[in-house]
Amino acid sequence: KAGVTQTPRYLIKTRGQQVTLSCSPISGHRSVSWYQQTPGQGLQFLFEYFSETQRNKGNFPGRFSGRQFSNSRSEMNVSTLELGDSALYLCASSLDSRASGYNEQFFGPGTRLTVL
Amino acid sequence: TQLLEQSPQFLSIQEGENLTVYCNSSSVFSSLQWYRQEPGEGPVLLVTVVTGGEVKKLKRLTFQFGDARKDSSLHITAAQPGDTGLYLCAGYYNNNDMRFGAGTRLTVKP
């Protein structure tokens, strides 16, 4: 079974630009979560999508947004980029397991975003 | 403040040594996972523990979930250079929220 894929792997942008990152989950997984990882803050939760609906959201400004398509693929968008947005953006997919309280997430390799 | 506190933050040991890293919280978790992440890659799931007091073994790695489901430990026996990486614990609670610790960065020197 293919793992989680993310594109692109590396991206360089300048301040003020916007960026779109893509994530394809493991086949059969309906939940996709996005995280930002920086050396100083560690892994910070951005949002989770399930069945094309945002189900959970972290504490990030509205410049960060996302969506999920009917095939469970997801995109996240960052508008008006700031230097502090430089980070590794990780996508994770999982089966919906809220009922069991058992949530195993499988991560993609990430997109390394550098904002100049 | 982190919901999950991991310790130590950094650990550098020689090949063949044993080590234990800890993951502590004041909250009760439905389940807890351990991941290992190598530079430039995403975290890779090592194990999930669900039941209080549960112990799981994965070759030289032993994972334990605290009786109260608020803490966990990872013990590595006879560490090897290939064990080098960032070890992250992640707790799932309230059936709706998953939080990660800041991680323990392990270096095993040959």
Side-chain angles (χ1 to χ4, degrees):
Chain A
K1 187 182 271 192
V4 178
T5 58
Q6 291 187 246
T7 57
R9 289 294 309 274
Y10 303 92
L11 205 49
I12 299 175
K13 292 285 188 178
T14 56
R15 279 182 299 174
Q17 287 186 310
Q18 66 93 27
V19 66
T20 299
L21 312 181
S22 181
C23 171
S24 292
I26 292 171
S27 178
H29 285 190
R30 296 167 68 190
S31 170
V32 174
S33 298
W34 288 90
Y35 295 85
Q36 181 195 67
Q37 187 176 35
T38 58
Q41 298 296 318
L43 262 168
Q44 301 287 315
F45 172 72
L46 281 156
F47 29 66
E48 179 202 5
Y49 284 86
F50 179 80
S51 292
E52 302 177 64
T53 301
Q54 188 179 89
R55 191 160 71 171
N56 206 356
K57 190 177 187 302
N59 189 27
F60 276 80
R63 299 186 297 107
F64 292 82
S65 63
R67 59 177 176 168
Q68 187 180 32
F69 303 94
S70 58
N71 61 0
S72 293
R73 191 176 70 84
S74 177
E75 289 180 348
M76 68 162 281
N77 183 278
V78 188
S79 62
T80 320
L81 284 166
E82 301 176 359
L83 295 178
D85 297 333
S86 293
L88 181 67
Y89 289 88
L90 292 160
C91 161
S93 77
S94 65
L95 294 168
D96 181 34
S97 49
R98 277 189 170 184
S100 65
Y102 192 97
N103 185 29
E104 289 185 330
Q105 294 195 329
F106 296 87
F107 285 83
T111 294
R112 171 73 62 187
L113 172 65
T114 301
V115 182
L116 302 175
Chain B
T1 53
Q2 291 277 359
L3 188 65
L4 281 167
E5 298 288 340
Q6 286 191 245
S7 61
Q9 192 175 356
F10 299 95
L11 189 56
S12 180
I13 61 172
Q14 292 295 132
E15 183 177 1
E17 292 183 2
N18 301 333
L19 67 113
T20 302
V21 298
Y22 300 93
C23 176
N24 295 296
S25 173
S26 57
S27 299
V28 176
F29 291 100
S30 304
S31 64
L32 189 141
Q33 284 114 46
W34 284 92
Y35 293 81
R36 181 172 68 219
Q37 184 178 21
E38 298 187 18
E41 299 295 330
V44 175
L45 179 66
L46 296 174
V47 76
T48 298
V49 286
V50 179
T51 306
E54 183 177 5
V55 177
K56 283 192 175 180
K57 293 192 175 184
L58 183 66
K59 297 183 181 178
R60 294 175 295 99
L61 278 60
T62 302
F63 304 86
Q64 185 161 7
F65 202 14
D67 291 340
R69 290 187 289 132
K70 292 184 179 181
D71 57 88
S72 181
S73 64
L74 158 59
H75 182 79
I76 302 179
T77 304
Q80 299 177 0
D83 296 326
T84 293
L86 178 67
Y87 287 82
L88 296 160
C89 66
Y92 187 56
Y93 71 109
N94 293 340
N95 267 8
N96 192 30
D97 202 352
M98 189 157 180
R99 298 293 178 93
F100 282 80
T104 292
R105 190 165 296 281
L106 172 66
T107 303
V108 182
K109 300 175 184 177

